[in-house]
Amino acid sequence: MRELYIAGNWKMNYKPGEAAVFAKQIADAVKNLKVKVMIAPPFVCLPAVTEAVKGSNVIVAAQNVNDHASGAYTGEISCDMLKDIGVNTVIVGHSERRQYYGETNEFINKKVLFAIENEMDVILCVGETLEERDSGRLEKVLADQINIGLSGVSENQMEKITVAYEPVWAIGTGKTATPSDADSAHAYIRSLIAEKFGKTVAENTIIQYGGSVKPANAKELMACSNIDGALVGGASLTLEPFLSIINASKK
Ligand code: PGA
């Protein structure tokens, strides 16, 4: 039975002080809930946020990580640095990193491998653009993102991996995939994981949906059999919508 996993990707929002206050409000609000909850603030907020949620069941994640241990990589952050401040989860391959910073499947794969070798949990983001969907390339794009992104990952290491299906055209646009479109993309991703790692691994892998998830659509999306949670952007930036998505998600 897969656990429900709701994650908030704060992107480039909040300064450390306000992030800590908000994180504490989330931690207090979810303390008796069974849902797995994660928040991913910007790097500079991570120390304050990890401190603010200490002892709670809220997971704190980074939005990105470098694929090397240390060295001359100006502007980058390593797994060791994150782990040292108590951050053991990282989002890899978000579409904004693919789109604005040229991250390829091969590069994303290096980050995935490096992060799991360093015992971190990874949320691997995949998803097609509207042009890719409209030109009939949805399956090919997802297959490349999964097969290349998870290349070299062992069956055992798959327990460190969560996949987030985020159709690019639904991110921050207010457009959401219909529950049945999303569910069929999730089912396809699960079949790719089954081909690569076997049926048991596929059945155990959490696949989150992302792209304009909000209180009004969360329940319907989470009710789909292949959707195991959400990676939420805009609606995770304030307490009320984020909590109502968490609450709506209980199956
Ligand atoms: P959104 O972002 O909820 O604002 O569409 C989702 C994401 O990018 O993870």
Side-chain angles (χ1 to χ4, degrees):
M1 183 64 181
R2 297 182 296 270
E3 210 177 351
L4 260 181
Y5 187 7
I6 307 293
N9 174 11
W10 294 2
K11 307 191 180 184
M12 199 172 71
N13 293 288
Y14 294 133
K15 295 175 206 140
E18 54 203 19
V21 171
F22 181 35
K24 175 87 173 77
Q25 289 170 346
I26 295 171
D28 288 344
V30 304
K31 69 172 176 262
N32 297 319
L33 299 182
K34 292 238 152 52
V35 183
K36 184 170 170 183
V37 175
M38 177 273 253
I39 49 177
F43 283 129
V44 292
C45 298
L46 289 171
V49 168
T50 47
E51 196 54 41
V53 305
K54 210 177 226 161
S56 80
N57 50 1
V58 172
I59 297 163
V60 180
Q63 297 172 16
N64 185 24
V65 72
N66 189 262
D67 60 321
H68 294 87
S70 63
Y73 301 100
T74 301
E76 292 293 293
I77 299 287
S78 73
C79 290
D80 260 7
M81 294 171 190
L82 293 172
K83 285 169 52 183
D84 193 59
I85 57 163
V87 174
N88 297 298
T89 302
V90 63
I91 298 172
V92 176
H94 189 278
S95 66
E96 285 149 17
R97 304 241 23 117
R98 294 176 189 260
Q99 207 177 336
Y100 306 141
Y101 304 102
E103 294 197 4
T104 60
N105 287 326
E106 289 73 14
F107 182 49
I108 288 161
N109 175 241
K110 286 191 191 167
K111 295 187 187 209
V112 168
L113 291 177
F114 199 75
I116 51 179
E117 275 156 23
N118 281 276
E119 313 271 293
M120 295 191 81
D121 292 320
V122 170
I123 296 186
L124 170 65
C125 300
V126 299
E128 80 290 1
T129 62
L130 192 56
E131 192 266 320
E132 287 164 342
R133 175 173 274 259
D134 287 348
S135 60
R137 284 182 293 146
L138 170 65
E139 294 202 343
K140 164 86 175 105
V141 168
L142 292 179
D144 285 349
Q145 290 174 335
I146 291 291
N147 289 328
I148 302 171
L150 296 177
S151 168
V153 175
S154 72
E155 224 177 280
N156 285 344
Q157 287 172 325
M158 276 302 286
E159 66 181 34
K160 314 280 302 162
I161 304 280
T162 294
V163 175
Y165 169 64
E166 300 202 301
V168 179
W169 48 271
I171 294 179
T173 57
K175 287 185 205 151
T176 329
T178 63
S180 84
D181 278 349
D183 198 49
S184 69
H186 282 228
Y188 179 63
I189 291 167
R190 208 176 293 290
S191 76
L192 293 168
I193 296 172
E195 255 169 55
K196 208 168 162 52
F197 301 99
K199 222 172 160 214
T200 309
V201 169
E203 278 310 310
N204 290 336
T205 303
I206 294 176
I207 307 178
Q208 298 171 322
Y209 172 78
S212 298
V213 176
K214 41 189 183 257
N217 58 26
K219 204 175 178 67
E220 222 188 336
L221 284 162
M222 299 311 129
C224 297
S225 61
N226 278 294
I227 301 182
D228 312 313
L231 181 55
V232 188
S236 74
L237 291 174
T238 43
L239 190 61
E240 221 163 273
F242 191 50
L243 284 184
S244 65
I245 290 168
I246 292 168
N247 283 314
S249 304
K250 286 184 251 155
K251 295 211 182 191

